[in-house]
Amino acid sequence: MLRQRVITGLVLAVVVFSAVLLLPSFWFGLAVFAVCLGGAWEWGRLCGLHALGRRGLYVAGIAVLTALGIWLAFGAGLLWPVVIGVLWWGLVLVVLAGYDPQARTGNQAHWRRYGLVGAGVLTLVPACIALIWLHQMQPALVLYLIMLTATADSAAYFAGRRFGRHKLAPRISPGKTREGLLGAMVAIVPFALLGAGYFQIPLALWFFFICLCLITALVSVAGDLFESVLKREAGAKDSGTLLPGHGGILDRIDSLTAAAPVFLMGLLWGAVMAR
């Protein structure tokens, strides 16, 4: 299993880095759009849309909404398709804080299922638009965001194993600890400093950029936890089997779906990078 996971991880890294650095923004956008639809297919299954026709309609709906959002963002120059994603993840933080896995009966379970179906739209559409936007600004920003979320995840894992004592979200993911989260935040600071230097961000904006990276890393944890909620509700260990040793598409992009809209809006709001 470990050997399979490592091989898949290396192949994914090569494919992703090549796509980000070598593809023009149009083709990169199509690739991200395809990944978004693959994630929608898995999301629909986890939400109980087991009939292929119903799941196909769900994916088609997300495709249409994503295309509309892309047109609004790049054709009309509107930010609100991404702003909705930022607001959504603020709401997710509240939902995660009050999540009760035992409440699965009656109307509450019924409405929770419909809520998760809608959550797929709010999760995948803004993330797709944000990643395409970041690539148009500068492809290296996409790689930086991917490495930022990976750094936070790895640091949280190792810090949690070494120092973990207090559970972060025991009702959702018993393996995550507060000490692990703190370790992730500590690791992000030097990574943010490296990013500020690489992107030649004005010195006056370094503090803002570091704070943005910290907030982005925190929100990426929410993305991970929310997918855990989705899988818990479905009684599934992984979102799919497409990636041997890693699970499905959602298992690889859960943190990124939350981080991308927040990172982009922070850059634009703080005028850190040119729009």
Side-chain angles (χ1 to χ4, degrees), residues 152-170:
D153 185 59
S154 299
Y157 173 77
F158 288 111
R161 287 198 61 180
R162 177 64 179 85
F163 304 107
R165 295 293 184 276
H166 303 89
K167 302 298 182 183
L168 176 65

Side-chain angles (χ1 to χ4, degrees), residues 33 48 56 62 93 111 126 137 201 203 213 217 220:
F33 184 69
I62 288 185
L93 291 174
W111 285 109
M137 290 171 66
I201 294 172
L203 190 60
C213 290
S220 74

